Amino acid sequence: MKRNLFFASAIGALCVSLLLAAPGGRTGGADAETGISPVQGRDDELRGLWVSTVYRLDYPLQYTSSAEELGRYAEEIVNDAADAGYNAIFFQVRPTGDAMYDSDIFPWSKYLTGTQGKAPEGGFDPLSCFVEKAHAAGIELHAWINPYRITMSESDELSADNPALLRPELTEKYGGKLYYNPGNPEARALILDGAEEILENYDVDGLHIDDYFYPGTDFPDEEEYARYGQGMSLGDWRRANNDALVRALGELAEEYGVPFGVSPAGIWKNASSDPAGSDTNGYETYFSAYADTRGWVKKEYVDYILPQIYWKIGNRAADYEILVKWWKEVCEGTSVRLYIGQAIYQVREAGWETEEIGRQINLVRTEGADGYVHFRYEYLSDVNELVSEFNAAADSSERKILLSAENAQISAPESAEEGTEISVTVTAEAGKFLRFAEIDGTRFDFPDGHVRELTFRALVRPSAKDLYISAGTY
């Protein structure tokens, strides 16, 4: 990138003229490989990416206590998401009754260092790191928790401070795994306490839970049912337990001013079970997981619903198009936003053609849904070119400008139209000198400590990302 630098005055003011070109610019043309043209998305569209930590699927790459390595892994993920045009990351902070952050309630996750309860070196906090780096890139960071699951196998060892070990009466074994019992009010209270700890201590942009509720219809909860069933059928009581947790999490998130949502399996009920269900023939969350996902929308327990519709358009048992339209109708007349979970992993794992993902994104937009989220980060490399093209296709030609300065003042507009030139001035406070200034990933360092003021003139190029400006001082 060409840079023209000159000193503007004896007090150390520096003027820079440059072009800002971010990845994922809008082209409006067909994708070179697939021939599919992206439908234009709304400017408020959510384009999300799940980052899984269970089994270290996406983060970290290997067991390590090194703050440097953990930080580098996080930075790579955020940079890749930003380059592909995503505006939200759903980071799994509690994969198995543990924490990817410094918690007073749950132990450090074993998926970080290899040992549950062992903290990373130097006080490193993965959630704090992800929040900082995501926000610096203009990306939302949503905290994703798995509420009930405690272990993935019978061989998993619990740390001495694990609440599941300290309070075994809250747990049940099922299928070789350990779970918090949804029917125990104290177990649900523990889950809520953990969620509140996150919202209280971290600047996350949302609270998110996935599709794991009751793991099976023969879950061993006879004692709790006898104690708390209150005359309900077993199925209705179990659904009431999940209802109570979802409603409480939504109310908690509202107190902290962030959205809360759920990403359930894609089918509530088949129409063969209930005329209100979808024209499908598959796993029904209402009966199998005791999750009344349609009811959560109608009662507005959630701010958004994010069904995992992991089938192709035209699938005979569960057609992606049919389910998108069904969920859109469910959300009509409510304040609940509809995001669609899409299976980019199927390109590698099931041999889907890449263009299927493009068609699914277009269908989200033509049906008027509010966005989509891709499962998951590891598989982004398989569809990166197409996803970058489609993510960039948004109606708005305006980029929001975000500022962050340490002992300095930044003068800049709040937003700017693509194709226009902006002027930005960064001024160190009295007695300070600029150490660095950064605009959209282009960084200027001032090791001599003589620059007090810096002026940027920049042509804003098309991008799906916010424009970020930061500065630091000596």
Side-chain angles (χ1 to χ4, degrees), residues 418-465:
E418 295 170 353
T420 63
E421 186 178 87
I422 62 171
S423 178
V424 180
T425 299
V426 183
T427 306
E429 294 180 354
K432 301 287 185 179
F433 291 92
L434 291 178
R435 177 167 54 88
F436 76 92
E438 185 171 339
I439 181 166
D440 248 22
T442 300
R443 179 177 171 120
F444 300 93
D445 291 299
F446 308 105
D448 296 332
H450 298 307
V451 179
R452 291 181 53 196
E453 185 173 280
L454 173 68
T455 296
F456 293 98
R457 292 194 302 270
L459 179 65
V460 181
R461 293 287 191 180
S463 173
K465 301 188 297 179

Short mmCIF file of all heavy atoms in Angstrom, two decimals, residues 418-465:
data_model
loop_
_atom_site.label_atom_id
_atom_site.label_comp_id
_atom_site.label_asym_id
_atom_site.label_seq_id
_atom_site.Cartn_x
_atom_site.Cartn_y
_atom_site.Cartn_z
N GLU A 418 -19.06 4.47 1.71
CA GLU A 418 -18.02 3.89 0.88
C GLU A 418 -17.77 4.78 -0.34
O GLU A 418 -18.69 5.33 -0.92
CB GLU A 418 -18.42 2.49 0.44
CG GLU A 418 -18.52 1.51 1.60
CD GLU A 418 -19.15 0.19 1.20
OE1 GLU A 418 -19.63 0.11 0.06
OE2 GLU A 418 -19.17 -0.74 2.03
N GLY A 419 -16.50 4.93 -0.67
CA GLY A 419 -16.13 5.76 -1.81
C GLY A 419 -15.88 7.21 -1.46
O GLY A 419 -15.48 7.99 -2.33
N THR A 420 -16.11 7.58 -0.20
CA THR A 420 -15.85 8.95 0.22
C THR A 420 -14.52 9.04 0.95
O THR A 420 -13.99 8.05 1.43
CB THR A 420 -16.96 9.48 1.14
OG1 THR A 420 -17.00 8.68 2.34
CG2 THR A 420 -18.32 9.40 0.45
N GLU A 421 -13.98 10.24 1.03
CA GLU A 421 -12.72 10.46 1.76
C GLU A 421 -13.03 11.01 3.14
O GLU A 421 -13.90 11.86 3.31
CB GLU A 421 -11.84 11.44 1.00
CG GLU A 421 -10.46 11.61 1.61
CD GLU A 421 -9.58 12.55 0.82
OE1 GLU A 421 -9.66 13.77 1.08
OE2 GLU A 421 -8.83 12.08 -0.04
N ILE A 422 -12.36 10.49 4.14
CA ILE A 422 -12.52 11.00 5.50
C ILE A 422 -11.20 11.57 5.99
O ILE A 422 -10.13 11.21 5.51
CB ILE A 422 -13.00 9.90 6.47
CG1 ILE A 422 -11.96 8.76 6.57
CG2 ILE A 422 -14.37 9.37 6.09
CD1 ILE A 422 -12.26 7.75 7.67
N SER A 423 -11.29 12.48 6.93
CA SER A 423 -10.12 13.04 7.58
C SER A 423 -10.17 12.67 9.05
O SER A 423 -11.21 12.85 9.71
CB SER A 423 -10.09 14.56 7.43
OG SER A 423 -8.95 15.10 8.10
N VAL A 424 -9.08 12.12 9.55
CA VAL A 424 -9.00 11.67 10.94
C VAL A 424 -7.76 12.30 11.56
O VAL A 424 -6.67 12.22 11.00
CB VAL A 424 -8.91 10.13 11.03
CG1 VAL A 424 -8.81 9.69 12.49
CG2 VAL A 424 -10.08 9.48 10.35
N THR A 425 -7.94 12.89 12.72
CA THR A 425 -6.81 13.48 13.44
C THR A 425 -6.67 12.81 14.80
O THR A 425 -7.65 12.70 15.54
CB THR A 425 -6.98 14.99 13.62
OG1 THR A 425 -7.06 15.61 12.34
CG2 THR A 425 -5.81 15.59 14.39
N VAL A 426 -5.46 12.35 15.10
CA VAL A 426 -5.15 11.73 16.39
C VAL A 426 -4.18 12.65 17.12
O VAL A 426 -3.11 12.98 16.59
CB VAL A 426 -4.52 10.34 16.20
CG1 VAL A 426 -4.28 9.69 17.56
CG2 VAL A 426 -5.41 9.46 15.33
N THR A 427 -4.54 13.06 18.35
CA THR A 427 -3.73 14.02 19.11
C THR A 427 -3.41 13.46 20.48
O THR A 427 -4.32 13.07 21.22
CB THR A 427 -4.46 15.36 19.27
OG1 THR A 427 -4.86 15.85 17.97
CG2 THR A 427 -3.57 16.39 19.94
N ALA A 428 -2.13 13.40 20.81
CA ALA A 428 -1.72 12.95 22.14
C ALA A 428 -2.08 13.99 23.18
O ALA A 428 -2.08 15.20 22.91
CB ALA A 428 -0.22 12.67 22.16
N GLU A 429 -2.41 13.52 24.39
CA GLU A 429 -2.70 14.45 25.48
C GLU A 429 -1.42 15.18 25.90
O GLU A 429 -0.30 14.79 25.54
CB GLU A 429 -3.28 13.67 26.68
CG GLU A 429 -4.65 13.07 26.39
CD GLU A 429 -5.21 12.32 27.57
OE1 GLU A 429 -4.47 12.17 28.58
OE2 GLU A 429 -6.37 11.87 27.50
N ALA A 430 -1.59 16.25 26.66
CA ALA A 430 -0.45 17.06 27.09
C ALA A 430 0.60 16.21 27.79
O ALA A 430 0.28 15.39 28.65
CB ALA A 430 -0.94 18.17 28.02
N GLY A 431 1.85 16.41 27.40
CA GLY A 431 2.94 15.67 28.00
C GLY A 431 3.14 14.28 27.42
O GLY A 431 4.02 13.55 27.87
N LYS A 432 2.32 13.88 26.42
CA LYS A 432 2.41 12.56 25.82
C LYS A 432 2.81 12.67 24.35
O LYS A 432 2.65 13.73 23.72
CB LYS A 432 1.06 11.83 25.91
CG LYS A 432 0.54 11.62 27.32
CD LYS A 432 1.34 10.55 28.05
CE LYS A 432 0.74 10.27 29.41
NZ LYS A 432 1.49 9.21 30.14
N PHE A 433 3.33 11.56 23.81
CA PHE A 433 3.64 11.47 22.39
C PHE A 433 3.04 10.19 21.85
O PHE A 433 2.91 9.19 22.56
CB PHE A 433 5.16 11.48 22.16
CG PHE A 433 5.81 12.80 22.49
CD1 PHE A 433 6.31 13.04 23.75
CD2 PHE A 433 5.90 13.79 21.52
CE1 PHE A 433 6.90 14.25 24.06
CE2 PHE A 433 6.49 15.00 21.81
CZ PHE A 433 6.99 15.25 23.09
N LEU A 434 2.68 10.22 20.58
CA LEU A 434 2.07 9.05 19.98
C LEU A 434 3.07 7.90 19.87
O LEU A 434 4.21 8.09 19.44
CB LEU A 434 1.54 9.38 18.58
CG LEU A 434 0.32 10.33 18.53
CD1 LEU A 434 -0.06 10.61 17.09
CD2 LEU A 434 -0.87 9.74 19.29
N ARG A 435 2.62 6.73 20.32
CA ARG A 435 3.41 5.51 20.20
C ARG A 435 3.02 4.75 18.93
O ARG A 435 3.86 4.17 18.26
CB ARG A 435 3.20 4.64 21.44
CG ARG A 435 3.91 3.30 21.42
CD ARG A 435 3.89 2.66 22.82
NE ARG A 435 2.54 2.56 23.36
CZ ARG A 435 1.72 1.53 23.14
NH1 ARG A 435 2.12 0.52 22.38
NH2 ARG A 435 0.52 1.50 23.68
N PHE A 436 1.73 4.73 18.61
CA PHE A 436 1.26 4.11 17.38
C PHE A 436 -0.12 4.67 17.04
O PHE A 436 -0.82 5.23 17.89
CB PHE A 436 1.15 2.58 17.52
CG PHE A 436 -0.04 2.11 18.32
CD1 PHE A 436 -1.25 1.82 17.70
CD2 PHE A 436 0.04 1.99 19.70
CE1 PHE A 436 -2.35 1.41 18.43
CE2 PHE A 436 -1.05 1.58 20.44
CZ PHE A 436 -2.25 1.28 19.80
N ALA A 437 -0.49 4.50 15.79
CA ALA A 437 -1.86 4.77 15.34
C ALA A 437 -2.18 3.70 14.31
O ALA A 437 -1.32 3.31 13.51
CB ALA A 437 -1.98 6.16 14.74
N GLU A 438 -3.41 3.21 14.36
CA GLU A 438 -3.81 2.13 13.46
C GLU A 438 -5.17 2.42 12.87
O GLU A 438 -6.10 2.83 13.58
CB GLU A 438 -3.83 0.79 14.22
CG GLU A 438 -4.13 -0.41 13.32
CD GLU A 438 -3.93 -1.73 14.03
OE1 GLU A 438 -3.19 -1.76 15.05
OE2 GLU A 438 -4.48 -2.74 13.57
N ILE A 439 -5.31 2.20 11.58
CA ILE A 439 -6.58 2.40 10.91
C ILE A 439 -6.83 1.23 9.98
O ILE A 439 -6.04 0.95 9.07
CB ILE A 439 -6.63 3.75 10.16
CG1 ILE A 439 -7.99 3.94 9.48
CG2 ILE A 439 -5.48 3.90 9.19
CD1 ILE A 439 -8.24 5.36 9.01
N ASP A 440 -7.90 0.48 10.27
CA ASP A 440 -8.29 -0.69 9.47
C ASP A 440 -7.16 -1.67 9.23
O ASP A 440 -6.99 -2.20 8.14
CB ASP A 440 -8.86 -0.22 8.13
CG ASP A 440 -10.36 -0.51 8.03
OD1 ASP A 440 -10.99 -0.66 9.08
OD2 ASP A 440 -10.88 -0.57 6.91
N GLY A 441 -6.38 -1.92 10.28
CA GLY A 441 -5.33 -2.92 10.18
C GLY A 441 -4.00 -2.39 9.69
O GLY A 441 -2.99 -3.10 9.74
N THR A 442 -3.96 -1.15 9.21
CA THR A 442 -2.70 -0.53 8.81
C THR A 442 -2.15 0.26 10.00
O THR A 442 -2.79 1.20 10.47
CB THR A 442 -2.88 0.41 7.60
OG1 THR A 442 -3.39 -0.36 6.50
CG2 THR A 442 -1.56 1.05 7.20
N ARG A 443 -0.98 -0.14 10.47
CA ARG A 443 -0.44 0.43 11.72
C ARG A 443 0.80 1.28 11.43
O ARG A 443 1.65 0.91 10.62
CB ARG A 443 -0.08 -0.71 12.68
CG ARG A 443 0.51 -0.23 14.01
CD ARG A 443 0.75 -1.42 14.92
NE ARG A 443 1.50 -1.05 16.11
CZ ARG A 443 1.07 -1.20 17.35
NH1 ARG A 443 -0.13 -1.69 17.55
NH2 ARG A 443 1.81 -0.86 18.38
N PHE A 444 0.87 2.40 12.13
CA PHE A 444 2.02 3.28 12.06
C PHE A 444 2.63 3.37 13.47
O PHE A 444 1.94 3.73 14.43
CB PHE A 444 1.62 4.69 11.60
CG PHE A 444 0.99 4.70 10.23
CD1 PHE A 444 -0.39 4.62 10.09
CD2 PHE A 444 1.77 4.76 9.09
CE1 PHE A 444 -0.97 4.61 8.84
CE2 PHE A 444 1.18 4.76 7.83
CZ PHE A 444 -0.19 4.69 7.70
N ASP A 445 3.90 3.00 13.59
CA ASP A 445 4.61 3.07 14.86
C ASP A 445 5.56 4.26 14.87
O ASP A 445 6.17 4.59 13.84
CB ASP A 445 5.40 1.78 15.10
CG ASP A 445 4.49 0.60 15.37
OD1 ASP A 445 3.75 0.64 16.36
OD2 ASP A 445 4.52 -0.35 14.56
N PHE A 446 5.69 4.89 16.03
CA PHE A 446 6.53 6.07 16.18
C PHE A 446 7.51 5.84 17.32
O PHE A 446 7.32 6.30 18.44
CB PHE A 446 5.67 7.30 16.45
CG PHE A 446 4.55 7.46 15.44
CD1 PHE A 446 3.24 7.16 15.79
CD2 PHE A 446 4.82 7.89 14.15
CE1 PHE A 446 2.22 7.28 14.88
CE2 PHE A 446 3.79 8.02 13.22
CZ PHE A 446 2.48 7.71 13.58
N PRO A 447 8.60 5.12 17.03
CA PRO A 447 9.55 4.73 18.10
C PRO A 447 10.35 5.90 18.66
O PRO A 447 10.89 5.79 19.76
CB PRO A 447 10.45 3.72 17.39
CG PRO A 447 10.37 4.07 15.95
CD PRO A 447 8.98 4.56 15.72
N ASP A 448 10.44 7.01 17.91
CA ASP A 448 11.27 8.12 18.37
C ASP A 448 10.58 8.97 19.44
O ASP A 448 11.25 9.74 20.14
CB ASP A 448 11.64 9.01 17.19
CG ASP A 448 12.50 8.28 16.18
OD1 ASP A 448 13.21 7.35 16.59
OD2 ASP A 448 12.45 8.63 14.99
N GLY A 449 9.27 8.86 19.57
CA GLY A 449 8.56 9.60 20.60
C GLY A 449 8.51 11.10 20.36
O GLY A 449 8.53 11.88 21.31
N HIS A 450 8.43 11.54 19.08
CA HIS A 450 8.40 12.96 18.78
C HIS A 450 7.10 13.41 18.12
O HIS A 450 6.93 14.59 17.85
CB HIS A 450 9.56 13.33 17.85
CG HIS A 450 10.92 13.08 18.45
ND1 HIS A 450 11.30 13.57 19.68
CD2 HIS A 450 11.98 12.38 17.98
CE1 HIS A 450 12.53 13.19 19.95
NE2 HIS A 450 12.97 12.45 18.94
N VAL A 451 6.19 12.47 17.86
CA VAL A 451 4.96 12.82 17.15
C VAL A 451 3.83 13.01 18.14
O VAL A 451 3.51 12.11 18.91
CB VAL A 451 4.60 11.71 16.13
CG1 VAL A 451 3.29 12.07 15.41
CG2 VAL A 451 5.71 11.53 15.12
N ARG A 452 3.24 14.18 18.11
CA ARG A 452 2.11 14.48 19.01
C ARG A 452 0.77 14.46 18.29
O ARG A 452 -0.27 14.28 18.92
CB ARG A 452 2.32 15.84 19.67
CG ARG A 452 3.48 15.86 20.69
CD ARG A 452 3.62 17.23 21.33
NE ARG A 452 2.36 17.67 21.90
CZ ARG A 452 2.12 18.95 22.23
NH1 ARG A 452 3.04 19.87 22.04
NH2 ARG A 452 0.96 19.28 22.75
N GLU A 453 0.79 14.66 16.98
CA GLU A 453 -0.46 14.72 16.24
C GLU A 453 -0.30 14.05 14.88
O GLU A 453 0.74 14.18 14.23
CB GLU A 453 -0.91 16.16 16.05
CG GLU A 453 -2.28 16.30 15.39
CD GLU A 453 -2.77 17.74 15.38
OE1 GLU A 453 -3.28 18.18 16.42
OE2 GLU A 453 -2.62 18.39 14.33
N LEU A 454 -1.33 13.31 14.49
CA LEU A 454 -1.31 12.59 13.22
C LEU A 454 -2.63 12.81 12.52
O LEU A 454 -3.70 12.70 13.12
CB LEU A 454 -1.11 11.09 13.48
CG LEU A 454 -1.22 10.16 12.27
CD1 LEU A 454 -0.06 10.38 11.32
CD2 LEU A 454 -1.26 8.71 12.72
N THR A 455 -2.57 13.14 11.23
CA THR A 455 -3.79 13.33 10.44
C THR A 455 -3.84 12.32 9.31
O THR A 455 -2.87 12.18 8.55
CB THR A 455 -3.85 14.76 9.86
OG1 THR A 455 -3.93 15.70 10.93
CG2 THR A 455 -5.09 14.92 8.97
N PHE A 456 -4.95 11.59 9.22
CA PHE A 456 -5.19 10.66 8.13
C PHE A 456 -6.16 11.30 7.14
O PHE A 456 -7.16 11.90 7.55
CB PHE A 456 -5.88 9.38 8.63
CG PHE A 456 -5.06 8.51 9.51
CD1 PHE A 456 -5.19 8.55 10.90
CD2 PHE A 456 -4.17 7.61 8.97
CE1 PHE A 456 -4.46 7.73 11.72
CE2 PHE A 456 -3.42 6.76 9.78
CZ PHE A 456 -3.57 6.83 11.15
N ARG A 457 -5.88 11.15 5.87
CA ARG A 457 -6.89 11.38 4.83
C ARG A 457 -7.04 10.05 4.10
O ARG A 457 -6.06 9.50 3.61
CB ARG A 457 -6.45 12.47 3.85
CG ARG A 457 -6.40 13.87 4.47
CD ARG A 457 -6.29 14.94 3.40
NE ARG A 457 -5.10 14.75 2.56
CZ ARG A 457 -3.91 15.28 2.83
NH1 ARG A 457 -3.75 16.02 3.93
NH2 ARG A 457 -2.88 15.07 2.03
N ALA A 458 -8.24 9.52 4.08
CA ALA A 458 -8.40 8.16 3.59
C ALA A 458 -9.65 8.01 2.75
O ALA A 458 -10.70 8.55 3.07
CB ALA A 458 -8.46 7.20 4.77
N LEU A 459 -9.52 7.29 1.65
CA LEU A 459 -10.67 6.92 0.83
C LEU A 459 -11.22 5.60 1.35
O LEU A 459 -10.51 4.60 1.41
CB LEU A 459 -10.25 6.77 -0.63
CG LEU A 459 -11.36 6.37 -1.61
CD1 LEU A 459 -12.40 7.48 -1.70
CD2 LEU A 459 -10.78 6.06 -2.98
N VAL A 460 -12.49 5.57 1.74
CA VAL A 460 -13.10 4.40 2.35
C VAL A 460 -13.56 3.43 1.26
O VAL A 460 -14.42 3.76 0.45
CB VAL A 460 -14.29 4.80 3.24
CG1 VAL A 460 -14.91 3.57 3.88
CG2 VAL A 460 -13.85 5.79 4.30
N ARG A 461 -12.96 2.27 1.28
CA ARG A 461 -13.30 1.24 0.30
C ARG A 461 -14.48 0.40 0.78
O ARG A 461 -14.76 0.34 1.98
CB ARG A 461 -12.08 0.33 0.08
CG ARG A 461 -10.90 1.01 -0.58
CD ARG A 461 -11.16 1.28 -2.04
NE ARG A 461 -9.94 1.69 -2.73
CZ ARG A 461 -9.89 1.97 -4.01
NH1 ARG A 461 -10.97 1.90 -4.74
NH2 ARG A 461 -8.74 2.33 -4.57
N PRO A 462 -15.17 -0.31 -0.12
CA PRO A 462 -16.26 -1.20 0.30
C PRO A 462 -15.77 -2.32 1.21
O PRO A 462 -14.70 -2.88 1.00
CB PRO A 462 -16.78 -1.77 -1.03
CG PRO A 462 -16.36 -0.78 -2.07
CD PRO A 462 -15.05 -0.25 -1.59
N SER A 463 -16.55 -2.61 2.24
CA SER A 463 -16.24 -3.70 3.16
C SER A 463 -17.47 -4.04 3.97
O SER A 463 -18.32 -3.18 4.22
CB SER A 463 -15.09 -3.32 4.10
OG SER A 463 -14.90 -4.31 5.08
N ALA A 464 -17.55 -5.29 4.42
CA ALA A 464 -18.63 -5.71 5.32
C ALA A 464 -18.32 -5.38 6.77
O ALA A 464 -19.16 -5.56 7.64
CB ALA A 464 -18.89 -7.20 5.17
N LYS A 465 -17.10 -4.91 7.06
CA LYS A 465 -16.67 -4.68 8.43
C LYS A 465 -16.80 -3.21 8.82
O LYS A 465 -16.80 -2.32 7.98
CB LYS A 465 -15.20 -5.09 8.61
CG LYS A 465 -14.89 -6.53 8.31
CD LYS A 465 -13.47 -6.84 8.72
CE LYS A 465 -12.48 -6.02 7.92
NZ LYS A 465 -11.08 -6.30 8.32
#
